[in-house]
Amino acid sequence: MNALNIQDLNVNIEGKPILKNFSLTVPKGEVHALMGPNGTGKSTLAKALAGHEAYEITGGKALLDGADLVGLEPDEIARAGLFMAFQYPSEIPGVSIANFIRAAIQARLPEGENLQATAYYKELYDKMDALAIDRKFTSRAVNEGFSGGEKKRCEILQMMMLKPAYAILDETDSGLDIDALKIVSQGVNAMRGPDMGTLIITHYQRLLNYIQPDKVHVMWDGRIVRSGGKELALELEEKGYDWVKEELAAATA
Amino acid sequence: MHQDTSSAPTTTQVDILSGDTFQKHQASMPSNAWMQAQQAAAWNTFKSLPMPKRTEERWRFAQTVGLSLEGYTLQDKPADAEAILAQSAHLEDYAGRLIFADGHLLAKDAISEELAAQGVLWLSLEEALHSKPELLERYLFSLSTQLGSDKFEALGRAYARAGSILYVPKDVQVKSPFVAYHWASQEGASIFPQTLIIAETTSQVSLVDFYLSASGAPALACGSSHVHAGPGAKVFRKSIQNWSRKTHSFQSDTHTTERDAELYSLAVHLGGEYARFENDVEITGAGSHAKLYSLTVADDKQMFDQRSLQRHQAPNATSDLLYKNALCDTAKTIFSGMICVGKQAQQTDAYQTNRNLLLNPSAEAISLPGLEIEANDVKCSHGSTSGQIDESELFYMLARGIPKPVAQKLLTFGFFEEVIAKVDDPALADNLRLMVEEKFATREH
């Protein structure tokens, strides 16, 4: 099946269970939103899938077009086709954006094949223009001294350059003003299509005004408790997360 | 380029510690009474001083046991001069160039007629002894670092022959850098490179010293440099050291900044078995600025011993030191820095930062920052950090699919960029990047 298919994933941080039999399927070609209050494990899902060693996967599978990502190194996961737009991207002093993205693309080329610099820069500049990123940024160190909005746009730039099969956007909307939000959304919408599946993790409904999700999932206490169409996001916005909590309490009572 | 074809001196394979060798050296120097007296005095100082011990404050943590001056000799001109000249090509654009090997002048590219007409002087030390002795008497050997290498500095002065003398008159701005190469070539060679830069009022000039080995042979280098930045002058001196892994080197640099002068000093250290680098800035003029940068890649069992002194003796001046070291294997670096602010140096801004990147847990970086402040209205700070590659930065790179060894390499080079970015000459900056990359590429893992 062409999908990002997460099955009964269990993840601990420092021995404490955070994800509890988490299951979710994002078919290729669709955009799903994962919503929920803080502390329910949304970012844990992102970091664990990216292969961060602090997140211990104690059970379950994460199948990317059928191949399990669990146990792979972070760089292997990325090259397998999963892209993570981080909530708080690291600053990397002394490494320029151009060299950083170049190294990432080079790592995806077959052994012995070298990236064509001219074509690379043309594509890079085109995408930077589309994201309203100043071309001077190519020689700036990755994320160093960037504003919150610049960091998020830089994440989307990387996604557009790396063209992953699946992308997880972890709270990409947090800390963005409305203009930056529109630009980021345009970038995501531009990539939308049959070749990519996208999972947007967000706390707020606002981003979904600009990116229409095919499905919305609500997360609570380490698993998905409700799934629906894009109207679910509006309902959440209106009723708040306590509504989910109350429904859940009623159901389990 | 003018190649020097004068007859080689008669100092063949002679031990530098012997009085006979020194006498022969003196006899072969240009007859200048001042210089003869200076060198004789330096020889006596050298002979009278003991070798340093690590119990001395200025040699704390240094591995002084293996430091011996036995077995080094003065050499004739190397036979492979052509090959050395061909390798002296790191920069294409320069205002003047001097190339020395094993203490002998191999070649000189003189300055343009235009610069000469403006009064710029670009001379080898031997030339200057003939034509500008008064300049040397005023500035050469005028300062010592006060950082502990008195004995080695004295040895370097006693045997000084290879050296560059650069004089830039008032208001003259020279765009292209001056370049000097000091090569160590033959087995057991000892070399004593000297650099003297005198930049008069509101002049601008830069100079690059390359300290290199033409072979893997053991060698000894005792060198000194002195920069005199006159009022409002702007001077940038860079030194790039890539000695053979069997070289012991002692480099003592001094600087004086007069009123409103801007001084930049950047030192790159790659080679040597033991390399000591003393860097002393004496801020004598109000409102002057000094920036001191250093970049070191240490691997195998290399030891880099770095001592610095920022002496503020005038008000409203700033000094800023940034030394970055990357350490692999069981290499060791010592940074010992001191900022001294005198009573009269009010409104001083002085900073000192030492950052060490430990790429192997067995490597050792020692950091000894210090402040001595007598004035009461100053901003001074020092900071040092030693650590491994930042895990979150590494994870971020891995998460983009960059394999771990590539990510580590990029992060390590990124660590140096902060210093390399200060190089105002793009060609030299690229050369430095290549030299650093080469050192990593040829490392035995």
Side-chain angles (χ1 to χ4, degrees):
Chain A
M1 181 189 183
N2 273 350
L4 176 63
N5 184 6
I6 304 161
Q7 300 174 359
D8 295 321
L9 200 68
N10 285 279
V11 176
N12 289 0
I13 303 175
E14 291 173 349
K16 187 176 172 233
I18 306 292
L19 292 191
K20 301 162 185 171
N21 289 326
F22 180 96
S23 295
L24 170 69
T25 297
V26 181
K28 195 171 272 182
E30 293 190 10
V31 175
H32 288 205
L34 181 63
M35 302 184 71
N38 290 327
T40 52
K42 301 192 301 293
S43 284
T44 297
L45 173 72
K47 289 279 185 64
L49 288 179
H52 196 293
E53 62 182 6
Y55 297 76
E56 188 198 353
I57 297 178
T58 56
K61 289 178 180 174
L63 304 174
L64 191 140
D65 293 343
D68 198 355
L69 301 175
V70 173
L72 297 185
E73 294 296 323
D75 58 319
E76 295 170 327
I77 293 168
R79 292 197 301 273
L82 182 64
F83 181 87
M84 195 68 55
F86 289 103
Q87 184 177 3
Y88 303 111
S90 290
E91 299 187 5
I92 305 188
V95 179
S96 70
I97 291 177
N99 283 346
F100 179 62
I101 299 178
R102 195 176 170 150
I105 295 177
Q106 181 67 47
R108 288 161 170 79
L109 297 177
E111 184 91 25
E113 193 177 312
N114 277 316
L115 181 140
Q116 298 297 312
T118 320
Y120 165 69
Y121 274 99
K122 187 185 181 304
E123 187 182 357
L124 184 64
Y125 286 142
D126 285 350
K127 302 221 150 112
M128 289 175 83
D129 292 349
L131 291 168
I133 301 173
D134 191 328
R135 290 185 179 193
K136 286 192 201 118
F137 270 56
T138 45
S139 57
R140 282 186 55 180
V142 178
N143 293 325
E144 197 181 37
F146 286 22
S147 69
E150 286 166 345
K151 284 183 182 172
K152 297 299 173 72
R153 275 186 277 165
C154 184
E155 293 293 285
I156 302 302
L157 173 67
Q158 292 171 44
M159 179 176 80
M160 293 172 86
M161 291 298 290
L162 296 174
K163 304 176 192 73
Y166 298 91
I168 298 177
L169 276 55
D170 186 9
E171 308 242 359
T172 298
D173 52 332
S174 64
L176 289 188
D177 62 31
I178 198 74
D179 291 333
L181 191 68
K182 282 181 187 169
I183 291 166
V184 163
S185 305
Q186 280 166 16
V188 175
N189 287 330
M191 289 201 69
R192 200 166 179 167
D195 295 332
M196 191 165 107
T198 307
L199 180 65
I200 295 170
I201 296 175
T202 181
H203 183 76
Y204 307 103
Q205 188 270 336
R206 187 180 65 147
L207 178 66
L208 306 180
N209 290 337
Y210 301 98
I211 305 171
Q212 298 278 319
D214 296 298
K215 280 213 170 78
V216 174
H217 309 274
V218 181
M219 194 168 173
W220 188 270
D221 191 26
R223 59 186 161 265
I224 286 171
V225 292
R226 208 175 158 130
S227 296
K230 62 187 176 205
E231 66 287 349
L232 179 57
L234 294 168
E235 206 173 347
L236 273 174
E237 181 77 0
E238 193 185 317
K239 299 184 182 173
Y241 285 116
D242 282 347
W243 162 65
V244 179
K245 194 178 168 184
E246 281 156 19
E247 279 210 339
L248 197 64
T252 52
Chain B
M1 181 166 69
H2 170 71
Q3 282 197 36
D4 192 280
T5 49
S6 60
S7 61
T10 54
T11 47
T12 307
Q13 295 280 320
V14 279
D15 180 356
I16 54 164
L17 299 180
S18 118
D20 281 354
T21 304
F22 177 69
Q23 298 303 331
K24 282 181 196 160
H25 158 74
Q26 279 226 297
S28 72
M29 284 293 285
S31 60
N32 172 294
W34 177 82
M35 189 66 170
Q36 294 280 329
Q38 286 283 322
Q39 296 205 310
W43 176 254
N44 288 334
T45 303
F46 166 70
K47 286 303 230 184
S48 68
L49 290 171
M51 286 293 275
K53 293 189 180 63
R54 66 187 305 177
T55 47
E56 294 171 42
E57 177 63 27
R58 295 178 303 180
W59 288 83
R60 255 180 104 195
F61 297 104
Q63 185 70 44
T64 49
V65 176
L67 292 185
S68 163
L69 296 171
E70 305 278 338
Y72 297 107
T73 51
L74 290 189
Q75 300 277 352
D76 288 339
K77 240 181 224 184
D80 56 348
E82 288 299 331
I84 289 173
L85 291 176
Q87 290 178 69
S88 304
H90 294 77
L91 292 175
E92 285 176 6
D93 174 35
Y94 45 80
R97 183 172 64 159
L98 285 163
I99 303 170
F100 302 94
D102 291 346
H104 302 282
L105 178 67
L106 292 191
K108 176 180 175 182
D109 289 287
I111 53 175
S112 67
E113 282 179 19
E114 190 192 342
L115 286 180
Q118 289 178 296
V120 175
L121 298 173
W122 173 241
L123 305 167
S124 74
L125 175 56
E126 286 177 284
E127 285 179 301
L129 283 168
H130 285 298
S131 63
K132 290 286 164 194
E134 68 284 359
L135 195 66
L136 299 182
E137 284 178 36
R138 182 160 171 204
Y139 292 105
L140 190 69
F141 307 152
S142 60
L143 274 185
S144 293
T145 63
Q146 308 186 5
L147 285 164
S149 285
D150 316 46
K151 185 175 179 72
F152 306 101
E153 187 188 65
L155 181 66
R157 287 179 178 182
Y159 281 113
R161 174 195 300 279
S164 328
I165 313 297
L166 174 58
Y167 175 84
V168 187
K170 185 169 183 279
D171 291 341
V172 174
Q173 300 184 356
V174 188
K175 286 215 170 65
S176 299
F178 289 83
V179 186
Y181 285 87
H182 291 275
W183 292 92
S185 172
Q186 298 161 91
E187 182 91 14
S190 53
I191 68 169
F192 309 96
Q194 297 286 329
T195 303
L196 175 62
I197 303 171
I198 300 139
E200 295 283 21
T201 305
T202 58
S203 64
Q204 280 188 28
V205 68
S206 68
L207 180 144
V208 191
D209 274 311
F210 286 95
Y211 301 113
L212 304 169
S213 293
S215 72
L220 170 74
C222 294
S224 298
S225 159
H226 178 61
V227 175
H228 181 93
K234 186 175 174 182
V235 183
F236 197 159
R237 174 172 176 265
K238 297 136 194 160
S239 60
I240 290 120
Q241 183 272 92
N242 196 9
W243 298 124
S244 81
R245 294 308 183 88
K246 291 178 181 167
T247 299
H248 289 183
S249 98
F250 303 85
Q251 179 69 27
S252 304
D253 290 358
T254 56
H255 312 80
T256 309
T257 62
E258 292 199 63
R259 187 180 185 87
D260 300 325
E262 278 180 70
L263 169 79
Y264 299 84
S265 142
L266 185 144
V268 177
H269 312 276
L270 300 172
E273 182 177 48
Y274 171 88
R276 182 165 168 115
F277 174 59
E278 298 185 357
N279 203 4
D280 180 332
V281 181
E282 190 185 27
I283 290 170
T284 58
S288 58
H289 303 278
K291 302 250 186 207
L292 311 172
Y293 306 108
S294 166
L295 181 166
T296 303
V297 186
D299 70 7
D300 197 14
K301 291 175 183 158
Q302 283 185 299
M303 179 189 261
F304 293 91
D305 184 358
Q306 303 167 339
R307 317 272 162 163
S308 71
L309 184 55
Q310 295 152 263
R311 286 188 276 160
H312 282 261
Q313 295 163 0
N316 299 103
T318 64
S319 70
D320 191 0
L321 175 147
L322 174 65
Y323 278 28
K324 298 189 95 168
N325 302 320
L327 296 92
C328 311
D329 310 319
T330 56
K332 184 170 173 180
T333 61
I334 302 166
F335 169 77
S336 172
M338 179 64 81
I339 298 175
C340 291
V341 182
K343 267 195 195 113
Q344 67 282 31
Q346 298 293 6
Q347 259 109 44
T348 286
D349 275 6
Y351 305 98
Q352 185 193 82
T353 308
N354 169 225
R355 301 208 184 288
N356 302 303
L357 178 62
L358 299 166
L359 295 166
N360 185 311
S362 303
E364 185 183 12
I366 291 164
S367 202
L368 305 162
L371 298 174
E372 274 178 20
I373 302 171
E374 291 176 15
N376 55 18
D377 181 16
V378 300
K379 276 191 261 174
C380 291
S381 73
H382 59 67
S384 75
T385 53
S386 291
Q388 297 173 4
I389 280 181
D390 184 281
E391 285 298 323
S392 67
E393 292 172 20
L394 183 62
F395 174 72
Y396 187 60
M397 297 195 107
L398 296 178
R400 293 296 174 252
I402 300 170
K404 200 168 186 177
V406 179
Q408 285 170 329
K409 199 175 109 177
L410 283 170
L411 288 171
T412 306
F413 294 159
F415 175 77
F416 296 127
E417 270 304 311
E418 189 182 2
V419 172
I420 293 179
K422 310 295 184 195
V423 177
D424 54 349
D425 178 335
L428 183 63
D430 283 344
N431 257 299
L432 291 179
R433 289 186 188 101
L434 278 178
M435 289 171 87
V436 171
E437 279 179 36
E438 211 164 81
K439 175 148 182 175
F440 276 93
T442 55
R443 267 170 43 68
E444 291 170 26
H445 292 278

